[in-house]
Amino acid sequence: MAQAARIQHSLLSLLNSDGKDHPVENTFALVTLVLGAIAAFTTLSPSLYLVSSWVGLVGIGTGLWGQFISSTTGERFLLIIGLGAAGFGFYLGMAHGGLFGGLIG
């Protein structure tokens, strides 16, 4: 017997591809994506290295935890994109001055 095809309408339906709700996992994926975007875009101005390094570090932490608890491929995809952007922002922020702005060391 043929099964009816489900039509996906929103981003959350792409993230919940197994048909179950995953609010915590989806939140980690979206937060990591936003933090990664902030960290990456603040590297365009070298004077914002504190923002990019701290936001990148937090984004790496949320992304790694999100990978640990993720349930679907859509969540993992967004987490990897966010992790890459957060890592990029973190490392460039570290290259421009670090987490503490030269106050320590």
Side-chain angles (χ1 to χ4, degrees):
M1 179 174 186
Q3 299 294 324
R6 291 182 28 205
I7 298 173
Q8 298 177 344
H9 295 289
S10 67
L11 177 64
L12 288 179
S13 64
L14 291 174
L15 293 179
N16 298 329
S17 60
D18 60 351
K20 301 175 187 172
D21 289 335
H22 306 285
V24 174
E25 292 88 344
N26 293 343
T27 303
F28 269 98
L30 295 176
V31 166
T32 301
L33 193 64
V34 168
L35 290 175
I38 291 170
F41 285 123
T42 54
T43 61
L44 297 174
S45 175
S47 63
L48 294 174
Y49 64 89
L50 284 173
V51 175
S52 62
S53 59
W54 278 106
V55 171
L57 183 63
V58 172
I60 290 170
T62 59
L64 290 176
W65 187 256
Q67 280 287 346
F68 183 68
I69 65 170
S70 66
S71 301
T72 64
T73 304
E75 294 166 356
R76 292 182 190 113
F77 178 78
L78 288 183
L79 284 164
I80 290 298
I81 299 298
L83 268 169
F88 176 76
F90 173 71
Y91 290 126
L92 279 180
M94 293 298 287
H96 286 133
L99 293 171
F100 300 105
L103 295 176
I104 298 175

